[in-house]
Amino acid sequence: MVRPKTLTITSDMDKCIFQPLGNAIFVENLISTKMERKVRVRFAPSPTGPLHMGGVRTALFNYLFAKKHGGDFLLRIEDTDQNRYVPGAEEYIIESLKWCGLVPDEGVGFGGNFGPYRQSERKPMYKKYADYLIENGFAYYSFDSAEELDELRKQAEAGKQVFSYDLHTRNGLKNSLTLSPEEVQERLQSGEQYVIRFKMPENRDIVDEDLIRGRVSFNTNQLDDKVLFKSDGMPTYHLANVVDDHLMQITHVIRGEEWLPSMPLHILLYESLGISETRPKFSHLPLILKPEGKGKLSKRDGDKLGFPVFPLLWKDPETGDISRSYREDGYFPEAFINMLALLGWNPGTEQEFFSMDELIESFDLTRVVKSGARFDPEKAKWFNRHYMQQKTPAQLSQLFLPILKEKGITPDLQQLERIVGMIQERCEFVKDIWAQAHFFFQAPESYDEKTVKSKWKADTSEKLQAISELFATVSEWKAESIKEAFSAFMTSKEWGFGAVMVPIRLALVGGSSGPDLFEICELIGKEETIARIRKACEKIVLN
Ligand code: GLU
């Protein structure tokens, strides 16, 4: 093994010293206390598009874990791949976290002592880590052009093989392991394009305890020599991720299952940099599966299958396409969060409804399942219904006001609260209030045909005219007194209630369902009640 050199880094951004420790080196961060480390976790999305609900769940589990352990939750933007950068994605991520109540303690847009938190702004600090890996034999320069590698890929495919830049192929390729040191220097000095690759060691078993999956092991012979750094000065995800987790003193990495194959490389990077002692513990979350239970829930599934997969509205900057979203579909953030929390985690009890505080209290990584979690869009609605019922009529009225305003309706607030209170239990979403209550604000334009056919008889109009005349005589226009007058009148006439109740309802609301008829009469007012009954008698002409 090459004896590592001691490297002192003095930049303000990373106050680290590499200290020789036997054959290995150990990096101690000057601002960390190595003894009892405060829990620090990060959500590290790449701004390559809108955050999918799976990403929000990763953020949520990180947040819950941090808060449960009195730790910090960071937001780091991993934007090293500038080709995949999508304008607006970063703002979208931040707004989504805020809407969900997952406010970072540190990060892009939130400040903190470990910044900058956007990797593109940390660019100058990664090269020394790459150089260190090269100088100590853990990495090498590779000069093979994209075209040359493509050609090798094609040749391999033709022979039904897969090309991989690894310990089996690296010695036949154009890199600093095969070229003379002089030639390598020449190429570097002449500005030739290169990448720095990790030199995957031969036949080592990398074993680790994933906090969710338990023991996981990989043999390095199966792994390729991943690119760590490019000649444009940008690190790749792997190097930047490990360096930043180290410098930001991250104690636990909680991320999606798709990153599990990167774990052995990351472990080896910590080892090669001599920072294994403060390496974070890993946890890989299960996939979120499509409603049918098979296959990963994709960004496209929402629009295809008719449910949202994004937290907030997303307008594709290229195509202008708009995707459905939880917020704009009318979900309450607490319903969305409650539903997400149970996608892959269970409290070990029958409890299904959790406030954020209850989630923090109950959350435990060991109760996260290993296998995929099936997403059920009906369950998401069910949660929303629950939170809808938890709100007071006053709260719901405030949320419903903008919908009324759009329709040009300015209601009396007290009346609105009463109306909302009456129909709340029939609603899953705030927007459902209109469907359940429109007749309080507008007279019906048409009457449900089926009901007309079955309930409107030859003598109905005559009876309803008589009832409207009775209503004109009711002096105290309150549900109770209207009902009393009506009942007395019906008894005196010896008319069956069944023959007129539905037709009156039809006249007032246009259909056969809705809240208490006399409450409706009271709320729409005496004149309007009478006018609607008369109008129905005119309009409903039996064939
Ligand atoms: N930037 C990676 C992503 O987009 C982060 C993976 C990790 O958490 O290590 O998901």
Side-chain angles (χ1 to χ4, degrees), residues 418-432:
R418 222 177 114 192
I419 293 168
V420 168
M422 277 160 70
I423 49 93
Q424 176 170 2
E425 62 179 3
R426 298 163 193 257
C427 302
E428 258 169 2
F429 295 95
V430 170
K431 62 181 180 227
D432 297 345

Side-chain angles (χ1 to χ4, degrees), residues 47 77 85-97 118 312:
I77 297 291
Y85 182 82
V86 173
E90 186 182 297
E91 293 76 5
Y92 181 95
I93 291 166
I94 293 173
E95 207 189 325
S96 300
L97 292 180
R118 200 180 277 117
L312 315 181

